Amino acid sequence: MRHIIIGSGAVGGSIGGRLAESGQDVVLVARGAHYEALRTDGLRLTTPDGTRVHRPPVVTGPEGLVLRPDDVLILSVKTQDSAAALDAWAGRPVEGGGTAGELLPLVCAQNGVENERLALRRFRHVYGMCVWLPSSHVDPGEVVAPCTPYTGMLHLGRYPSGLDGTARRISASLEKGALLAPLAPDVMRWKYTKLLANLSNSLGALTGPPDTDEARLIQRRAYEEGQAVLAAAGIDAVSAEEAAAVRGDHLRQDPDLAAGRDGSSSWQSLSRGTGSIEADHLNGEIVLLGRLHGVPTPVNETLARVANTFAREHRPPGTMTVAGLTALIDAAARESGQE
């Protein structure tokens, strides 16, 4: 099995690096300065075990390699980039006949719950992956993954549900590389739980870590909106307590590496000045469901709107005050009739 990592940033670079370290066949897909750094100097992956440089093949897109029937595509771009990536790969021919969309498994190793729906329009064999893998990618060619004894926990199952031999083979491959990959026939229950956890990504990106009572209040309000929306929509999710119990001590963050970690994936998007952020598919997913089911979501609506403004205007992360954000949220709550 050859693992093609489409989007070799924080998550994709961590997965690709660990697979390469365990001697498995990996191709990294990247763009721009990150591609150039990977091509010339390799992937510099820092974990609590130390820093290692891995030099798997790297390409900028599907034109750079011949797809094989034993390939598995691991999609780890941000959701706002998924449609373009899926379009680029789905129609590519596979050696021996057929296309990637017809024949190859595609794993959505991404936050949010929209990617699988996008993928299933283009690929017959789609797998969801709930990614618990704290990591950071700010500088080209470099990824930091601070957890030990495992780099990440990656619940894996077919989309929309079920398991098969391919899921079992992918799980086995991942677990050779310091990654836990529990098989989950109900993988979307895990992904909705992770969605709730990710609702604070925008908050941290805008104001910094939620380490004050005022910031934690925003965090709690966003989470409670999410819970109310999922209940109204009849969507089942693993409880936060069950998820924490399953993770247990498998993902302990090395304090030295964690101290240097540059926030969530949303924080990193603002840090790199990409011009986009995944808020529409995290907080925005709650807003969408709230509008469909008649549940006001002023906190998540404000977080998504302001995060998108920061990304569009290339504002640096952590430069909004909690008081300023609270004022915007309270105004939105009054307009929605909640106050």
Side-chain angles (χ1 to χ4, degrees):
M1 180 179 286
R2 183 172 65 168
H3 309 78
I4 300 173
I5 313 295
I6 305 172
S8 301
V11 169
S14 297
I15 293 173
R18 282 307 202 184
L19 288 171
E21 185 177 313
S22 64
Q24 300 188 69
D25 200 355
V26 177
V27 176
L28 303 179
V29 183
R31 296 177 299 179
H34 190 42
Y35 163 77
E36 294 296 340
L38 293 174
R39 184 177 63 86
T40 57
D41 300 320
L43 170 64
R44 184 179 174 88
L45 177 63
T46 298
T47 71
D49 303 327
T51 298
R52 295 175 176 82
V53 177
H54 305 289
R55 299 181 181 276
V58 56
V59 298
T60 58
E63 301 83 4
L65 73 165
V66 176
L67 294 178
R68 308 188 314 219
D70 64 343
D71 286 338
V72 56
L73 307 179
I74 299 179
L75 185 67
S76 53
V77 300
K78 298 289 196 303
T79 306
Q80 62 267 28
D81 298 320
S82 286
L86 291 165
D87 285 342
W89 288 86
R92 298 298 297 180
V94 176
E95 202 172 33
T99 66
E102 294 168 329
L103 300 175
L104 299 185
L106 180 127
V107 180
C108 296
Q110 300 160 287
N111 288 333
V113 295
E114 180 66 17
N115 299 288
E116 288 80 4
R117 295 191 291 237
L118 292 170
L120 202 59
R121 292 182 174 94
R122 300 159 172 87
F123 283 80
R124 290 178 183 171
H125 308 290
V126 175
Y127 298 79
M129 178 177 282
C130 179
V131 178
W132 299 96
L133 199 166
S135 56
S136 61
H137 161 58
V138 176
D139 296 320
E142 298 186 6
V143 172
V144 177
C147 283
T148 186
Y150 293 95
T151 297
M153 180 175 285
L154 311 169
H155 284 81
L156 174 70
R158 278 194 71 97
Y159 179 76
S161 63
L163 296 173
D164 60 12
T166 299
R168 294 183 177 90
R169 288 193 296 274
I170 296 170
S171 172
S173 291
L174 293 166
E175 295 206 336
K176 293 176 183 176
L179 298 161
L180 287 174
L183 291 166
D186 54 352
V187 68
M188 296 311 293
R189 291 182 66 239
W190 289 91
K191 296 205 70 165
Y192 275 103
T193 298
K194 182 69 187 306
L195 172 66
L196 294 178
N198 286 140
L199 295 180
S200 60
N201 282 21
S202 294
L203 169 63
L206 295 171
T207 66
D211 52 8
T212 66
D213 289 343
E214 294 78 8
R216 285 190 287 268
L217 177 59
I218 295 175
Q219 185 178 40
R220 183 168 69 250
R221 290 171 69 184
Y223 188 87
E224 289 173 350
E225 280 184 2
Q227 287 182 309
V229 161
L230 294 191
I235 295 172
D236 190 20
V238 175
S239 71
E241 294 75 18
E242 180 184 350
V246 170
R247 290 196 302 277
D249 289 333
H250 296 310
L251 302 178
R252 299 193 305 271
Q253 293 201 43
D254 179 282
D256 294 331
L257 290 184
R261 183 170 175 259
D262 293 303
S264 70
S265 55
S266 298
W267 175 284
Q268 293 168 48
S269 291
L270 294 183
S271 295
R272 295 198 303 273
T274 62
S276 67
I277 197 168
E278 59 192 338
D280 278 343
H281 301 288
L282 301 178
N283 309 98
E285 182 71 26
I286 299 305
V287 174
L288 171 62
L289 289 172
R291 289 170 178 168
L292 288 173
H293 298 280
V295 179
T297 58
V299 179
N300 283 284
E301 184 173 346
T302 302
L303 287 171
R305 175 172 54 82
V306 179
N308 277 313
T309 299
F310 264 58
R312 185 172 58 251
E313 297 180 356
H314 297 280
R315 299 189 196 177
T319 54
M320 187 173 197
T321 65
V322 174
L325 183 58
T326 299
L328 293 177
I329 290 171
D330 289 344
R334 287 192 294 271
E335 288 180 10
S336 69
Q338 283 198 319
E339 293 185 1

